[in-house]
């Protein structure tokens, strides 16, 4: 849904805390006599003393080492540092004000690991080192003590300062010094990094550099990553909906040819800039944290693999939620297929028509969604009595369900009642229970969103969960019998600045008008002036491709410069350090920073957690409404630990080829953040799509965890049945997706139980191949499925790299033929329209569905198949996890192990869950033609062999997967 109401701005007189700051000038705050220097050059740093060591770490005091510099706030003279060796692989370093006045994330929001009961101080792979005066610390590996530290704040390890601005128009991009700064409104710490090292994470962001962050080498300009949740339509290189201050460093040793990974989490909700840069003539790169509040709460993860870093992070903030069967499961579970939705299904007849058209086209449809069209006057928890009457909706949902599902939207803003006769129970009960965010004077904070004047839930209120649960429960009683919930605009987004409804004539308000009914943009290389609005690839037999031979295949959407913090006319007045917020003022398009929450919290401190807290409350509410079942949630704004409660879609993207490419990096990012159920709005949300782009994108998204076709109101319809070629591409790709459901389900079970990422960048599996470190136009599903999509218009081939440098056999998913791949370089693959290249890794064994049905329910009724791809040594290994896919907490399960050695496949089965479906077909690739095949020691007659693909197929096996089993060939 639109992030902002375009064209609507409000000129208001804001209530401002303090004076206006200007970078490079003295600043007096709240009329005090203490000027802010706006420069850290003279900041004295700290001295360590009163050290106390223990079995789990150490505690010490840090004292300001000289006169206060008061750079962007008031220096805090007394700090405490606590170092905890949390495990063999995790080290916790927390620096906080001894008086405990700075904001710290409450345990009620994010539960931290318990204090360790064993001592790891002498065995952890991570070692905390420090200098007392001036205080600095660095983290090394016990296993490699002579290597450059993983994190190093010593001035001697960093470049000499001052360093002039790397963007001359923005003075804040200078590095005046690298002291430890801890002020009430500004905290700074800097670490050296190996020159040009590989950094991933620090999102949410649409990064022009790709999945690998720009660190200022190899022609790059460096990165300023701002963390301040903002509801805007997917700008490039700016802060976005969520904040995830964690990164993975993948460090390659060119001498040994080996790489290792580590991770760093700053668990802070404060607005911040995180800078990645390599100053001129420097032998090192650096990362600098600049925060406008809170404390320094670091967790360090030793890896040494990327998947292990991600899992170690998950052990701190929590593993991802268990997805329900219908959302991502298979037989006798279910799994997400295509979820179709648009803003602009204006009534229930549109919904019915869409479901019927998808069925007629033979394109699987698992979930029907509704946006704010569903609501009465755009009010949450209502239905329009004319367009979506409750009795018809109640009838439609089970019928449309038919083993399908229904998900409505819930926006964050709750409308206020306009007068005494206006009845709207969610707001009224919320007032009675005192659950809405307030102004500093205690009055309701009233903003403006789609319904008109609105309030926002205060998730810190002790009564908020009961009000939220009651509102959702009443909605189901009205006929909206949802299967899951889609949470939108929960940064939160507003259409005015500050509490614009305070003192306003509320009775004159009402729902806002959608001003975006005409959408004019089209994808690159489609010229609607020449070819009209259809978006077709051909018209009267003529191609509509409109790019010349020398034309670029992707346009670059204009982005704000890194100098946005110093732009003229941008009001960044609180706090004194101006983070590089894409919207300018922190109070623009969201709650004012002085909005007040229960417990006395200000929004400045808790802003980035709003989405997380809504997700947690909604998850718990659905558990209450549907006890014993797993909730399904998709949300826009996220924060560390959000994956425990929700999945994520990548927001309001654009119908551009460039954004289809960005889809990949977004999904890879969120694997790091422990939110694996993620995907983009397929075919694009903003602007019009066209046939070719939608064809390619429908294929791409079939191999992503979250799969939804979704676009804006007024845009060209993009349901896959609108174009025959898109319908065909969708059927092919979804058939492959459905076949792979048991594999997907196992990957997500591993995520929920151990924090392992279901989707991987290629170097996650092949860490010692530097040519893979920047690859983000391909990805791996698990360890064994390689996907190489077409990302440019007019293409009939695609370039892709096959990892392994010739040591791995890659086989085509569709034909099972071995790929003749270039070692360490790109291979050209045929990619006609409606075809996406998918390849199977050797040494793998994949449990599949033998015959995909129209829905997951129909699919799960059929038998299983097993696809084995042998390596050159004739071995293979795989596993599968099966349970009922709906119970929460999860009930009985069964684990299957598939192993091939010496011409024998062994299947081992453990667990209490009874699998009803049989294993009917076993396909083994890479087999020399056998003369005999035996099953459980008895000869098998029903087998075939294909010489060209070295393919052995055993059919009609009827293997019981609840026991042990062998298949042999010789």
């Amino acid at each position: 849904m639109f992030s902002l109401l375009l064209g609507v701005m409000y000129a208001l007189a804001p209530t401002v805390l303090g004076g206006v700051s200007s970078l490079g000038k003295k600043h007096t705050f709240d009329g005090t006599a203490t000027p802010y220097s706006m420069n850290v050059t003279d900041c004295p740093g700290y001295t360590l003393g009163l050290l106390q060591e223990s079995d789990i770490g150490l505690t010490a005091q840090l004292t300001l080492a000289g006169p206060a510099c008061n750079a962007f706030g008031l220096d805090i003279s007394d700090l405490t540092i606590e170092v905890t060796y949390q495990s063999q692989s995790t080290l916790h370093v927390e620096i906080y004000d001894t008086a405990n006045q700075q904001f710290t994330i409450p345990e009620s929001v994010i539960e931290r690991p318990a204090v360790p009961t064993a001592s790891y101080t002498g065995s952890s792979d991570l070692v905390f080192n420090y200098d007392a005066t001036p205080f600095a610390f660095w983290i090394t590996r016990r296993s490699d003590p002579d290597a450059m530290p993983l994190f190093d704040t010593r001035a001697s390890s960093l470049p000499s300062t001052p360093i002039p601005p790397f963007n001359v128009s923005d003075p804040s991009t200078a590095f005046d010094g690298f002291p430890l700064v801890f002020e009430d409104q500004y905290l700074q710490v800097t670490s050296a990094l190996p020159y040009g090292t590989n950094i991933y994470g620090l999102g949410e962001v649409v990064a022009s550099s790709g999945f690998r962050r720009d660190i200022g080498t190899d022609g790059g300009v460096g990165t300023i990553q701002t963390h301040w949740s903002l509801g805007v339509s997917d700008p490039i290189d700016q802060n976005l909906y969520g904040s995830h201050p964690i990164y993975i460093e993948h460090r390659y040793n060119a001498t040994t040819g080996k790489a290792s990974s580590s991770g760093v989490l700053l668990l802070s909700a404060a607005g911040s800039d995180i800078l990645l840069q390599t100053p001129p003539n420097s032998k090192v790169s650096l990362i600098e944290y600049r925060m406008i509040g809170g404390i320094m709460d670091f967790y360090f993860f030793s890896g040494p693999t990327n998947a292990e870093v991600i899992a170690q992070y998950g052990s701190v903030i929590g593993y991802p939620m268990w997805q329900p069967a219908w959302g991502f499961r298979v037989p006798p579970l279910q799994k997400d297929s295509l979820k179709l939705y648009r803003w602009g299904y204006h009534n229930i007849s549109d919904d019915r028509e869409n479901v019927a058209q998808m069925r007629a086209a033979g394109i699987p449809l698992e979930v029907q969604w509704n946006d704010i069209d569903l609501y009465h006057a755009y009010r949450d928890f209502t239905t329009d009595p004319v367009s979506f009457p409750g009795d018809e909706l109640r009838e439609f949902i089970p019928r449309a369900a038919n083993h399908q599902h229904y998900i409505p939207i819930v926006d964050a803003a709750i409308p206020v009642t306009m007068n005494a006769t206006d009845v709207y129970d969610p707001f009224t009960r919320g007032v009675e229970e005192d659950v809405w965010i307030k102004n500093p004077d205690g009055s309701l904070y009233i903003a403006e969103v789609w319904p008109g004047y609105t309030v926002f839930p205060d998730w810190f209120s002790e009564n908020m969960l009961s009000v939220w649960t009651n509102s959702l429960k009443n909605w189901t009683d009205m006929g909206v019998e949802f299967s899951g919930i889609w949470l939108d605009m929960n940064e939160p987004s507003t259409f005015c600045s500050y509490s614009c409804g305070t003192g306003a004539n509320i009775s004159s308000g009402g729902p806002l008008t959608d001003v975006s009914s005409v959408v004019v943009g089209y994808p690159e290389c489609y010229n609607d002036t020449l070819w009209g609005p259809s978006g077709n690839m051909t018209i009267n037999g003529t191609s509509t491709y409109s790019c010349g031979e020398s034309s670029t295949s992707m346009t670059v959407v204009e982005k704000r410069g890194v100098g946005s913090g110093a732009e003229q006319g941008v009001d960044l007045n609180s706090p004194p350090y101006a983070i590089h917020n894409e919207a300018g003022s922190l109070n623009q398009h969201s709650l004012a920073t002085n909005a007040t929450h229960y417990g006395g919290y200000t929004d400045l401190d808790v802003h980035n957690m709003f989405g997380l807290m809504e997700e947690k409350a909604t998850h718990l509410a659905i558990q209450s409404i549907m006890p014993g079942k797993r909730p399904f949630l998709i949300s826009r704004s996220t924060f560390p630990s959000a994956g425990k409660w929700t999945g994520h879609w990548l927001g309001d993207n654009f119908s551009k080829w460039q954004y289809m490419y960005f889809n990949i990096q977004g999904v890879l990012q969120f694997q790091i953040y422990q939110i694996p159920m993620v995907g983009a709005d397929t075919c694009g949300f903003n602007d019009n799509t066209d046939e070719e782009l939608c064809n390619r994108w429908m294929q791409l998204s079939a191999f992503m965890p979250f799969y939804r076709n979704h676009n804006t109101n007024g845009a060209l319809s993009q349901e896959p049945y609108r174009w025959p070629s898109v319908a065909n591409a969708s059927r092919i790709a979804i058939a492959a997706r459905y076949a792979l459901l048991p594999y997907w389900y196992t990957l997500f079970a591993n995520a929920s139980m151990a924090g392992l990422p279901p989707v991987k960048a290629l170097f996650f599996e092949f860490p010692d191949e530097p040519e893979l470190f920047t690859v983000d136009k391909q990805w791996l599903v698990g360890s064994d499925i390689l996907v190489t999509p077409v990302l440019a218009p007019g293409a009939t081939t695609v370039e892709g790299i096959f990892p392994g440098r010739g040591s791995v056999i890659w086989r085509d998913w569709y034909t099972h033929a071995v790929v003749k791949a270039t070692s360490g370089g790109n291979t050209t693959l045929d990619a006609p329209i409606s075809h996406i290249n998918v390849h199977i890794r050797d040494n793998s064994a994949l449990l599949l569905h033998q015959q995909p049905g129209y829905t997951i329910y129909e699919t799960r009724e059929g038998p299983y198949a097993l696809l084995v791809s042998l390596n050159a040594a004739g071995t293979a290994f795989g596993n599968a996890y099966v349970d009922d896919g709906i119970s929460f907490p999860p009930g009985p399960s069964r684990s299957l192990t598939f192993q091939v050695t010496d011409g024998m496949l062994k299947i081992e089965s453990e667990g209490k869950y009874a699998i009803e479906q049989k294993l009917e077909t076993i396909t083994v690739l890479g087999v020399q033609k056998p003369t005999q095949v035996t099953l459980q020691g008895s000869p098998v007659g029903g087998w075939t062999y294909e010489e060209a693909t070295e393919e052995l197929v055993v059919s009609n096996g009827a293997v019981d997967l609840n026991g042990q089993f062998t298949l042999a060939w010789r």
Side-chain angles (χ1 to χ4, degrees), residues 121 218 270 280 342 364 398 424 495 653 695 721-722 751 761 816 821 831 837 912:
T121 56
D218 302 320
R342 69 167 296 152
Y424 182 57
F495 297 155
N653 61 0
N695 184 302
Y721 55 77
R722 300 289 180 183
H816 299 164
N837 277 277
K912 296 183 179 180

Side-chain angles (χ1 to χ4, degrees), residues 119 351 635 663 695 725 793 865 911 917 949 952:
S119 176
D351 279 349
S635 182
N663 184 162
N695 184 302
S725 78
Q917 288 73 22
T949 52
L952 170 66

Side-chain angles (χ1 to χ4, degrees), residues 91-352:
L91 178 66
H92 183 199
V93 178
E94 185 179 20
I95 302 174
Y96 58 92
D97 59 308
T98 304
N100 284 310
Q101 296 301 300
Q102 293 287 101
F103 176 78
T104 303
I105 297 173
E107 288 270 348
S108 60
V109 179
I110 301 179
E111 185 179 358
R112 313 302 203 282
V115 174
T117 57
S119 176
Y120 300 102
T121 56
S123 60
S124 170
D125 190 39
L126 298 176
V127 179
F128 177 83
N129 311 271
Y130 67 91
D131 284 336
T133 305
F135 171 72
F137 71 93
W138 62 102
I139 310 298
T140 56
R141 285 192 190 274
R142 192 181 306 274
S143 58
D144 194 5
D146 297 328
M148 183 174 178
L150 304 181
F151 198 85
D152 190 350
T153 69
R154 292 173 293 181
S156 61
S157 300
L158 291 158
S160 299
T161 57
I163 299 169
F166 61 86
N167 183 291
V168 295
S169 67
D170 184 356
S172 76
T173 64
F175 296 101
D176 299 316
F178 298 126
L180 175 66
V181 181
F182 201 118
E183 299 174 343
D184 60 345
Q185 295 179 91
Y186 184 73
L187 291 79
Q188 177 182 303
V189 65
T190 312
S191 170
L193 294 170
Y195 182 90
T197 193
N198 305 291
I199 300 294
Y200 308 88
L202 298 176
E204 181 178 9
V205 64
V206 177
S208 59
S209 64
F211 180 47
R212 180 182 183 271
R213 303 311 303 270
D214 184 347
I215 201 168
T217 58
D218 302 320
V221 297
T223 293
I224 302 177
Q225 182 58 58
T226 299
H227 285 122
W228 185 260
S229 297
L230 183 66
V232 291
S233 291
D234 286 16
I236 298 173
D237 291 334
Q238 299 294 335
N239 52 307
L240 256 177
Y241 316 106
S243 295
H244 294 275
I246 176 176
Y247 71 84
I248 290 177
E249 183 201 346
H250 188 69
R251 186 176 297 188
Y252 180 71
N253 186 323
T255 301
T256 64
K258 297 295 182 182
S260 62
S261 294
S262 60
V264 180
L265 164 68
L266 173 64
L267 189 54
S268 170
S272 66
D273 284 341
I274 301 178
L275 286 75
L276 294 169
Q277 190 53 257
T278 304
N281 304 314
S282 174
K283 296 181 179 179
V284 298
S285 301
L286 61 84
I287 181 169
E288 181 165 280
Y289 296 85
R290 301 175 179 179
M291 300 175 285
I292 57 175
I295 66 172
M296 296 179 181
D297 194 3
F298 284 103
Y299 287 85
F300 299 93
F301 309 109
S302 68
T305 69
N306 295 283
E308 286 173 319
V309 171
I310 294 169
Q312 290 155 10
Y313 170 53
S315 70
V316 169
I317 55 94
Y319 296 146
M321 62 183 283
W322 283 88
Q323 295 294 329
W326 60 267
F328 215 130
R329 301 288 159 113
V330 15
L333 322 165
Q334 302 179 359
K335 179 175 182 306
D336 183 18
S337 67
L338 171 65
K339 299 181 174 79
L340 189 69
Y341 149 74
R342 69 167 296 152
W343 180 13
Y345 288 146
H346 296 298
N347 54 54
I348 199 165
S349 296
D350 286 351
D351 279 349
R352 289 193 183 105

Side-chain angles (χ1 to χ4, degrees), residues 650 659-667 679-680 697 700-701 704:
L650 296 172
Y659 274 83
M660 182 166 62
Y661 158 63
F662 289 149
N663 184 162
I664 302 170
Q665 66 163 270
V667 170
W697 211 332
L700 180 150
S701 290
M704 293 297 189

Side-chain angles (χ1 to χ4, degrees), residues 385-440:
V386 176
S387 301
F388 292 92
D391 55 344
E392 292 189 38
L393 194 62
R394 188 189 304 275
E395 178 187 4
F396 164 75
I397 291 174
R399 184 190 303 167
N402 197 15
H403 307 305
Q404 296 166 302
H405 301 276
Y406 178 73
I407 296 178
I409 193 172
V410 172
D411 278 348
I414 301 298
V416 303
T417 52
M418 298 175 62
N419 50 52
T421 63
D422 185 6
V423 178
Y424 182 57
D425 183 70
F427 171 73
T428 304
R429 184 179 177 192
V431 171
E432 295 169 353
E433 299 288 341
D434 193 20
V435 301
W436 307 128
I437 292 173
K438 295 183 173 62
N439 290 306

Side-chain angles (χ1 to χ4, degrees), residues 696 789-792 794-800 827-833 837:
R696 296 298 192 184
V790 170
L791 299 171
T796 57
T797 62
V798 64
E799 298 287 312
T827 300
T828 301
L829 303 169
D830 288 336
I833 199 71
N837 277 277

